[in-house]
Structure formats: C-alpha cells, structure tokens
Amino acid sequence: MSSLCREVITLQLGHFSNFVGTHWWNLQDASLSYDPESPPAEIQSDVVFREGQTAGGHVTYTPRLIAMDLKGSLQTLRQEGCLYDSGEHASALTWEGSLVTHKESPPEKNSFLKDLDKLDKGEILADFPSPPREAVKKSGGVDTVNSQLSQIQRSYRLEGSVRVWSDFLRIHLHPRTISVIHQYNHDGEAHRLEAFGQGESALQGALLEELEDRLHFFVEECDYLQGFQVLCDVADGFAGLGSKVTELLQDSYAGRGILSWGLVPNAPTQMTPVKDLYRLLNCTLGMLHMATNSSMFCPLSLRGGLARIPAPPPEFPHLSFDPSLWFHSSAVLALALDALTVPYRLRNNSAPMWQVADSLAVSGRKVVSAYGAIPFPMMQGSSLPDALGACAEGLPWKPLSTCPEGGRCYGQWVTLRGFEGQKLVSCLPAGAQPPTPLHGLHSSEDVLAAYLASFYPSAPLALQLVSSPCKLTPPFPQIFSTSLNARGFLQSVQPPDAPPPTVTSAPIVTSLQSGSTLDPWLSEFRRAAKSIDVRRMAPSFFSHGPEMADYEEALEQLHLLARRYRDDSGGRTQSSSEDEDD
C-alpha cells in the first residue's frame, strides 16, 4: 500500500458548480469506511478530505474545500457550519434600555435535512429502527450517520423541494469552506452577477484577502500538495471570477496542477436574447482565460451545444431524468466527475494531476473534452469482452462537453469504474475458438485498450480500471431506467409487476480527450462572438470590463488556440468558416 498521499484542494465557484460539487462530495462520503479492520479502499479519501479536531476534542473529517456563492444562496445552511459550533452566540451588550427583538422565521427544511438532523443528534428514525449491534458489526463495524443512511435506503423525492445545493448536502463543512459574495444576489433581478467583467472586479479587497487566507490555511496543512481542482460556472459572472482565481493559483502556487472544470447548466425555457448573449460571451471569455491559467480546462455540460441555438441534449439510454432540473443534471455530471478524477485519487498506481494534464495538453492544447457512458451498459454476469463487443459499431459514451466525437484523437485518458463482481476476461473452455479478438485477450487492460484501438488506432492512451463502484445512497436521485438492477448492471429479465429496484451503485466509463474536433468547436465560439455587435445588443456587458481592445485580443487568442487542434495529416477538409478565419 502506498504511504504517500498527494493532497488536492477543491474550489467550487458558482451555484451550479456547488450543485455538482454537493453531489460529488455526497458520493465521496458514501464510500467512506470507518471500520479499522476493513481493507484499504482503492480510492484514497485523504486526497480530498482532511482530518481536524473541534474545541471539544472531537475528531472531524471534512472536505478540503473552498465554496463561493452569492448572498441568499445558502438557505438553511449556516455559513460557518455547525461542526465547530461552540454554542456561544450571545454577544456582549452594554445597552441598559429596553430592547425589541425581531426574529425572522428560518427556511423550512425538507424531509432529508430533517432526518439528517435527527441522525446527527443520535436519534433513531421512528419508521427505521436501528439494526442490532451484531448486524452493524457484520456489515461495517461502525454505526455512523453514513452507515445509517445506507441502511434505511429511504426514497427521498426531493425534486420539488430542492431550491439550493445545501438542500441535499449530507456532510459537514469546515468553517473556512463557505465564502459568500455579499455584493451580488442569488435571487431577484437586481444586483446579479451576470457579466464576465463583474466577476473579474469582484475578486479584490476583503474578498481577495479572505480567499488568500483560506487557501493558505488549507495549503499549510498539506504535506504533498499536488494541486487544485476548480469547478466554476462559466455561463455567468463567475467566469470572470474563475479566471482571476486560477490566475491567483498560477501565480502563488507555481508547479502545482490546476485542473479546471467549466460548468454550464441547461438553459431555462424562458431565456431572453440578451441573457443568452451574455451566456455566450461569458463562456467564450471564461474558457479562454481559465484554460490559459490552468494546467487543463474541460467544459462539462449536458446541453446539446454551447451555441445560441443548441442541438437537443445527449440521450443516455439507461437514464430517465429531466436535464433542465439542476438536481438531476448535476447528479449525472457528478457521476462523470467522480470517474474523471479517479486517476489522481487512487491509493496505488495513481497519476498526479500534472501527469494527467501533460499527457493531454500537448503543444498548448489545454482545452479537452469529456465523454461518459452513464451507466456503462454491462449485463449482470457477463464479461467485459461481451459488453464491449455489443458496442462494436460505436463507442458507448455520450458527449459531456457539448463537443461531438470524431476526427483525429491526439490523446485520451479512459477510466472504467464499478465492475466489481464481473468477469473482465472471457473464460473459454480449453481449445475453444474466441468469438471475437477481445475474447482471446488475457487482461482487462488489454481488452479495453484493444477495443479503443479499433476506433483510435494510433492515439496515445492511458487507462485506469477501478473495481469498486461509487455508492449511490440518499439523497442521490433515482434517475435510472427499469432495465438496470440494484447494482446498475443490465438485467435480462424484468418481472412485469415488480417495482423498479433502488440502484445503489453503477458502472461508469469516462474519457478525457484532446482531438481535432475541438478545432471547429472552438472556432464556432469565435465565429458566434465575432458576429455580434456587442455595443449595440448588450452595451452593459463591458460596463465592468474588459476593454473592447482586450475582448478583440481574446477572440484572436481563441482563433490561435483552435488552430492548435487542426489536423494537418491530410485527411481533413476545412470548413467555410475556417477559410474565412484564415
């Protein structure tokens, strides 16, 4: 077992990023084991979690996380949390006259948060009595809030009650985690963080000092800091804030990896042309600047595209969810992000952030695209060659970055997670002829590599295979089709009158790619932004910056970035828009 833990600090910037991050942290928390007798997990949780101690001497285990959001975005969650609460809230009063107290009613908590409060206090849920100690010892050894949530498997239907990300947060946060930008509102029409320049100018003064202080706190307690993973909303003003944050990380922590994930939610049904224009400009500027300041930048979205009139969103054949519902779409992206971040979180044979980035961001190609099979279509009891053989006509994954697949692949990093209990190679009788070449291979890595080589014969490839799945416990939404069993594998027979099983885990395949399709994808951003008369259609966009000359320079830099992905091998034809750009 490797004794070296390379820590990672996570930053979540914006409300949708905090939605995705909340699901992601819930998934990590569900996989934690507090049993000292259990074997070490494949994923090293200390990479992203930190151990601390309260004033009362209680040991805590909280995310190494800084989450930024706007005023009014927390609802029932206290900014400082309650884990380190001393209970001393009364302030010293010197006024001896009469006092009138006006108390505002706190927001109502949903059923999940109410149950979580009871479990935190050591109470037993009335309709789910605590299991006998012998059963607890047999199943995990330690009776925790986490284990109790797994045992009750209550089906929380939170779709109608989730307003903000804290409505489904199941873990405690450190007092230095949440940072609120008070000058902008989460709700309403006034004082909104809508433009790139607003986000850039927001990171100064007290907010900048607070961020630097929190970064210093988390960095100082790391022994082998490998870098930062940054989740940032790039469709609104947080794109500008994320650009400044990644610039700060690059200047202050040179040599550390900075992997940035640009989050874009599905567009609301009622979006005005001006707001849609803002979204396009924010995405364009945010992607360019964050890619410049990061080791690698990957957009993540379930939209059909980031253009002003996108195509329909990708369809996942074994999911049943509402892409416009943030609680659902962020859950899908969190499942993908769990697998995408596996390489630098492994206990053994991990690949540090810089290695992942350097293998993909060759020749300045810092923007990469993500794809995922959620879940990976594998029949219960079958083998990996069987599952891949069923996908011989086309890759099983769907776009997670709105970038279509195809063209030349310059490099990719593929992760398969959650195949526990399945056969990874074919078990043929002695002398039997393999039905396909994949069935004749003798290692799971060779099987997956041979399959991918049939689509990308000469592309550099890195593989990570992790047996254990991510555990899906409350309040993760049940967004899976009835074709899956409880472990997320395809089932051959579905009883006609049986209720759909509660899916508690799922196999996932993800791919991070650098390829020639990013050339027309990036060029489309430049073409769309260049075709707009911003001064006439959205003059207020530049009221906080950038200057028009800087904006035009950014579009030129975007053009140069797109050219880095151009396939000059002779098998590609330029589009008319590219001819025009040249």
Side-chain angles (χ1 to χ4, degrees):
M1 180 178 68
S2 174
S3 60
L4 180 63
C5 174
R6 297 185 178 95
E7 300 95 343
V8 169
I9 296 173
T10 303
L11 293 94
Q12 295 167 193
L13 313 175
H15 205 63
F16 188 62
S17 291
N18 280 313
F19 259 76
V20 176
T22 297
H23 276 304
W24 191 85
W25 288 108
N26 286 350
L27 293 174
Q28 310 316 308
D29 178 67
S31 297
L32 294 179
S33 173
Y34 297 93
D35 182 8
E37 299 180 2
S38 63
E42 292 176 281
I43 303 296
Q44 190 169 21
S45 59
D46 288 344
V47 171
V48 295
F49 283 92
R50 58 177 296 279
E51 188 174 293
Q53 195 173 59
T54 67
H58 298 290
V59 176
T60 63
Y61 202 55
T62 54
R64 197 176 290 108
L65 167 68
I66 299 173
M68 304 183 76
D69 216 323
L70 306 179
K71 183 173 65 175
S73 62
L74 301 183
Q75 296 291 322
T76 61
L77 181 66
R78 287 166 49 188
Q79 183 174 346
E80 69 279 5
C82 60
L83 198 58
Y84 290 76
D85 188 4
S86 63
E88 300 175 0
H89 300 294
S91 58
L93 296 176
T94 57
W95 173 255
E96 297 180 357
S98 60
L99 293 175
V100 177
T101 302
H102 298 274
K103 186 175 181 180
E104 183 180 1
S105 298
E108 178 72 16
K109 291 188 175 183
N110 59 42
S111 58
F112 168 72
L113 293 180
K114 290 177 180 178
D115 283 353
L116 205 60
D117 286 343
K118 292 178 182 179
L119 292 176
D120 275 339
K121 296 173 184 177
E123 300 178 15
I124 298 174
L125 301 184
D127 48 350
F128 289 94
S130 181
R133 290 292 170 185
E134 293 78 9
V136 172
K137 185 174 181 180
K138 183 178 180 181
S139 62
V142 181
D143 190 10
T144 64
V145 170
N146 187 21
S147 65
Q148 291 181 57
L149 278 173
S150 300
Q151 291 158 11
I152 64 175
Q153 280 300 324
R154 173 178 285 177
S155 181
Y156 295 97
R157 299 296 181 183
L158 302 183
E159 283 78 2
S161 61
V162 168
R163 299 157 295 176
V164 296
W165 51 270
S166 60
D167 285 337
F168 59 98
L169 178 70
R170 58 176 273 170
I171 60 174
H172 289 295
L173 302 176
H174 191 273
R176 293 178 183 258
T177 282
I178 299 176
S179 177
V180 176
I181 305 173
H182 291 281
Q183 70 189 93
Y184 293 107
N185 295 325
H186 169 65
D187 289 318
E189 293 297 324
H191 305 291
R192 300 302 299 270
L193 185 61
E194 295 180 318
F196 181 88
Q198 289 177 293
E200 277 194 315
S201 59
L203 194 64
Q204 58 182 322
L207 184 64
L208 176 59
E209 292 177 5
E210 181 183 89
L211 176 60
E212 291 175 328
D213 176 69
R214 293 173 185 228
L215 282 170
H216 181 75
F217 171 80
F218 287 115
V219 168
E220 283 297 302
E221 62 182 16
C222 294
D223 294 323
Y224 301 97
L225 176 68
Q226 62 170 305
F228 307 85
Q229 55 181 12
V230 182
L231 281 65
C232 180
D233 291 5
V234 293
D236 55 23
F238 274 101
L241 183 78
S243 300
K244 284 298 183 181
V245 168
T246 49
E247 181 181 349
L248 171 66
L249 296 177
Q250 185 185 51
D251 293 342
S252 303
Y253 303 99
R256 310 296 184 186
I258 305 173
L259 301 192
S260 295
W261 310 89
L263 277 300
V264 182
N266 284 48
T269 54
Q270 301 296 328
M271 174 173 276
T272 65
V274 171
K275 288 186 177 181
D276 194 37
L277 174 60
Y278 270 47
R279 180 198 54 77
L280 173 66
L281 298 176
N282 287 326
C283 287
T284 303
L285 293 172
M287 176 170 53
L288 176 66
H289 287 279
M290 290 188 68
T292 301
N293 300 330
S294 304
S295 309
M296 185 187 80
F297 176 87
C298 179
L300 289 177
S301 178
L302 296 183
R303 288 172 58 99
L306 297 183
R308 299 187 68 185
I309 304 178
E315 293 185 3
F316 296 85
H318 303 294
L319 294 182
S320 178
F321 71 105
D322 182 355
S324 65
L325 197 64
W326 282 21
F327 183 54
H328 281 182
S329 59
S330 61
V332 177
L333 291 176
L335 277 175
L337 191 64
D338 175 78
L340 291 167
T341 57
V342 155
Y344 53 87
R345 297 189 292 123
L346 286 173
R347 185 176 301 275
N348 297 309
N349 302 317
S350 65
M353 281 182 161
W354 63 263
Q355 183 178 338
V356 176
D358 286 355
S359 65
L360 294 173
V362 179
S363 302
R365 303 186 193 107
K366 288 189 175 183
V367 177
V368 300
S369 54
Y371 306 86
I374 307 170
F376 175 56
M378 192 172 188
M379 190 71 67
Q380 177 69 46
S382 69
S383 66
L384 183 59
D386 292 334
L388 295 176
C391 305
E393 299 301 320
L395 290 158
W397 49 58
K398 302 293 183 179
L400 298 174
S401 301
T402 76
C403 180
E405 196 169 27
R408 182 182 176 188
C409 179
Y410 303 124
Q412 68 172 322
W413 203 291
V414 175
T415 300
L416 168 59
R417 181 175 189 191
F419 52 83
E420 192 173 59
Q422 299 290 93
K423 294 176 291 186
L424 296 184
V425 295
S426 182
C427 300
L428 297 174
Q433 183 69 24
T436 70
L438 296 180
H439 288 79
L441 300 175
H442 302 291
S443 77
S444 54
E445 289 82 2
D446 289 344
V447 170
L448 188 54
Y451 171 76
L452 294 171
S454 66
F455 294 93
Y456 301 106
S458 60
L461 172 67
L463 295 175
Q464 293 284 7
L465 279 76
V466 180
S467 173
S468 61
C470 56
K471 298 180 180 179
L472 309 178
T473 56
F476 195 88
Q478 285 296 310
I479 53 177
F480 303 93
S481 73
T482 57
S483 60
L484 304 178
N485 64 14
R487 297 181 55 213
F489 295 108
L490 295 174
Q491 50 188 355
S492 56
V493 178
Q494 170 70 22
D497 298 325
T502 298
V503 178
T504 58
S505 64
I508 307 291
V509 174
T510 57
S511 171
L512 276 176
Q513 292 186 20
S514 174
S516 61
T517 54
L518 283 161
D519 172 15
W521 188 81
L522 291 167
S523 297
E524 173 60 21
F525 271 100
R526 177 177 180 265
R527 186 201 63 76
K530 197 174 181 181
S531 66
I532 298 169
D533 186 350
V534 182
R535 287 193 176 115
R536 182 179 64 84
M537 299 180 65
S540 60
F541 183 83
F542 293 109
S543 59
H544 292 81
E547 298 293 334
M548 182 57 70
D550 295 331
Y551 170 69
E552 293 174 349
E553 173 63 21
L555 294 184
E556 181 59 28
Q557 291 299 318
L558 188 62
H559 174 53
L560 296 177
L561 176 62
R563 287 181 64 101
R564 295 178 185 271
Y565 296 88
R566 185 159 298 179
D567 181 7
D568 294 324
S569 62
R572 182 177 179 279
T573 304
Q574 288 185 335
S575 66
S576 59
S577 62
E578 292 167 323
D579 292 336
E580 182 182 0
D581 289 340
D582 291 340

